[in-house]
Amino acid sequence: MPTLFYSRRIGLESGTVVPIIGGSRVTGKVGSFDVGLLNIHTGNEVVSGSVPTNFSVVRVKRDVLRRSSVGALFTNRSVSVEGDGSNQVYGTDAMLSFYDNVNFNGYYALTQTPGLNDDDASYQAAFNYLGDLYGFTLDHLLVGDNFNPEIGFLRRDDFRRTFTSARFSPRPDSLRAIRQFTGEVSLDYIENGGGHVETRLANARFETEFENSDRFTIDTQESYELLVKPFRVASDVKIPVGGYGFQDVFVTYSMGQQRRVSGAWTFQRGGYFNGDITAVGYSRGRLEVTPQLSVEPSVSINRINIPEGTFTAQLVTSRMTYSFTPRMFFGGLVQYNSSTDSISNNLRLRWEYSPGSELFVVYTEEREMDP
C-alpha cells in the first residue's frame, strides 16, 4: 500500500542529506475537524543535484458515527523529481466501523506530474470481519503506472492486488491445555497493468495456542513469481528471467512473552524459484537479564541450492535495551549480514525530560568486513 505522506522524503534525496532552510508545522482542531498543516523549504545539494524546493502538506479528518472517520489530504512539491515542474497529490479516505467486528476502509488518490499523464490514480477498498470464532478479509488495491506521490513512499507501481482470507478459530472446552485452535486459508494475487500475473501466494495455516501462551504453527504455501529481470540472490548468483512456481512448508514454535526467555523458533523447507531452500531461525527473542536490562537476539540461516549456484545466507542481530528511568532508556542494535559481509550498529539514547518533550542522541555506523 502506498504512503501518500512520508516525512523522511523531506531533507533526503537519493540517500543524501539535503539542507533544510526552515519551515513550520501546525496541528489541532477546527470545530469538529482535525487539521494538520506543514510547510518546509530545502536548499541546494550538489551530490544529488537537488535545487531549492518547497514542501507543503494539508491533512483534514473528521470523526463520524461512533468509531468511524473520513478525511482528505493534499501535498505539493514545488520541484518534481520525475517530471518537469511541480508534483501534487489529492486524496480522500474513509474508515467505517460497525458493531464490534465489521470494518470497511479505503482511499482514492490522484497525482499530477507534468510529463506523467494518464494512469496516475491509486485506490483501495477493504472489508474485514474480525470475530473471535470466524474471520474474513477481502482487499483490493490498484496503483497506476504513473501514480507518483513525491512526498510519499511507493515501493512499486503499475499493479493491482487482490487479497482474501478466511479463518475459523474454535476454543475447545474439553482440552484444558489448549486455549484456541486456528485454521486459516488465504490467497494473495498480484498482476501488472498489462494483466499478467506477477505474484500468487496461496497459504494454509494451522495454529495451536496453549494455555501458557506458547504457539505451534504449521504453514504450507504455494507460490508463483514472475521475474521480468534477473534477480540477484548473492554477489555472484542470479536467477534468470522467467515464471517460477514452488511450494514451502514452515514450522514455528513461539514461546509466550510472559517468559523470562521468549522468542520464535522456525524451520522452513521447500522450493526457491528453480531450486530449493532449507532455513532455520530464531526471531523476536527476548532475554530479561534484570528488570532494567533486556537482550533481544535473533538469527537466520538460509541454505539455498539452485542451478546457478549454492550458498548460505546468515543474518545475526542483537538488540539491547537498558531503562535508567521510565522516561530514559538506552538502546543498541548490532547486525551482521553475510550477504553483504557487513556489520552495522545503531545506538540511541532517549530522554523525555518533560511530558511531551524528548531528547534523542543517535549514533549509526556500518562497516564492511573485507576492506
Side-chain angles (χ1 to χ4, degrees):
M1 177 178 173
T3 300
L4 302 184
F5 170 57
Y6 188 59
S7 62
R8 294 186 181 183
R9 291 297 300 269
I10 303 175
L12 286 174
E13 192 65 52
S14 302
T16 303
V17 176
V18 177
I20 295 178
I21 305 303
S24 59
R25 181 182 67 179
V26 177
T27 60
K29 292 186 71 70
V30 177
S32 57
F33 292 89
D34 295 310
V35 179
L37 306 173
L38 180 144
N39 187 274
I40 294 178
H41 199 80
T42 60
N44 291 301
E45 200 286 313
V46 177
V47 175
S48 63
S50 299
V51 299
T53 305
N54 181 265
F55 299 83
S56 300
V57 180
V58 178
R59 169 64 170 163
V60 178
K61 187 181 77 168
R62 177 174 179 171
D63 294 332
V64 297
L65 304 177
R66 188 164 60 96
R67 295 183 297 113
S68 304
S69 65
V70 294
L73 177 75
F74 168 77
T75 72
N76 178 77
R77 177 171 177 150
S78 64
V79 180
S80 172
V81 177
E82 302 292 336
D84 182 16
S86 60
N87 170 263
Q88 292 84 33
V89 174
Y90 305 87
T92 61
D93 63 278
M95 182 181 69
L96 306 176
S97 298
F98 303 98
Y99 305 104
D100 293 328
N101 304 311
V102 179
N103 300 286
F104 295 88
N105 62 80
Y107 76 90
Y108 180 85
L110 183 72
T111 62
Q112 289 185 351
T113 310
L116 299 178
N117 301 318
D118 302 323
D119 204 14
D120 53 5
S122 174
Y123 64 79
Q124 182 182 33
F127 167 81
N128 292 282
Y129 174 75
L130 304 176
D132 182 67
L133 181 60
Y134 298 101
F136 178 75
T137 297
L138 181 61
D139 188 343
H140 184 72
L141 168 67
L142 179 140
V143 178
D145 189 23
N146 289 326
F147 184 70
N148 181 40
E150 294 195 6
I151 316 183
F153 180 71
L154 188 65
R155 296 183 62 182
R156 62 189 294 184
D157 58 14
D158 191 29
F159 76 95
R160 62 177 68 237
R161 172 183 184 247
T162 301
F163 175 82
T164 185
S165 68
R167 172 181 53 82
F168 177 57
S169 305
R171 298 180 179 270
D173 295 331
S174 59
L175 300 175
R176 298 183 62 183
I178 306 299
R179 181 178 299 172
Q180 189 171 33
F181 291 120
T182 298
E184 184 173 14
V185 293
S186 66
L187 175 65
D188 199 352
Y189 188 87
I190 301 174
E191 61 181 24
N192 59 27
H196 301 291
V197 179
E198 290 190 343
T199 300
R200 184 180 62 245
L201 301 175
N203 182 271
R205 177 175 68 95
F206 180 78
E207 179 180 276
T208 300
E209 181 182 2
F210 300 95
E211 281 295 342
N212 62 2
S213 296
D214 289 3
R215 297 171 184 263
F216 177 73
T217 307
I218 298 178
D219 283 273
T220 62
Q221 181 171 282
E222 183 177 350
S223 307
Y224 173 82
E225 292 287 349
L226 174 65
L227 298 183
V228 296
K229 60 182 180 180
F231 175 42
R232 183 185 297 275
V233 293
S235 59
D236 56 347
V237 180
K238 286 185 178 180
I239 299 175
V241 171
Y244 299 90
F246 46 95
Q247 296 81 36
D248 294 277
V249 175
F250 303 83
V251 179
T252 305
Y253 189 87
S254 303
M255 295 176 288
Q257 293 293 320
Q258 83 284 357
R259 296 179 180 270
R260 185 173 181 180
V261 178
S262 62
W265 298 92
T266 59
F267 173 78
Q268 176 189 357
R269 175 65 181 170
Y272 187 82
F273 292 93
N274 54 350
D276 58 71
I277 181 174
T278 302
V280 295
Y282 175 67
S283 61
R284 303 192 301 275
R286 187 176 187 275
L287 169 62
E288 185 178 311
V289 182
T290 69
Q292 291 78 32
L293 176 64
S294 63
V295 180
E296 301 175 21
S298 65
V299 60
S300 176
I301 302 174
N302 301 268
R303 179 68 174 176
I304 297 174
N305 181 19
I306 56 178
E308 292 73 25
T310 300
F311 65 97
T312 300
Q314 304 172 24
L315 181 66
V316 181
T317 303
S318 181
R319 185 189 303 272
M320 182 271 290
T321 303
Y322 185 84
S323 300
F324 298 96
T325 69
R327 291 187 175 183
M328 178 186 290
F329 76 87
F330 173 80
L333 174 68
V334 179
Q335 178 173 281
Y336 169 71
N337 189 335
S338 67
S339 299
T340 58
D341 199 19
S342 64
I343 291 181
S344 59
N345 306 281
N346 179 269
L347 307 177
R348 181 176 67 159
L349 175 68
R350 172 186 175 272
W351 176 32
E352 186 180 3
Y353 55 89
S354 65
S357 300
E358 299 172 316
L359 171 68
F360 289 89
V361 180
V362 182
Y363 174 78
T364 302
E365 177 188 54
E366 183 168 353
R367 291 181 178 269
E368 295 183 357
M369 301 297 293
D370 185 357

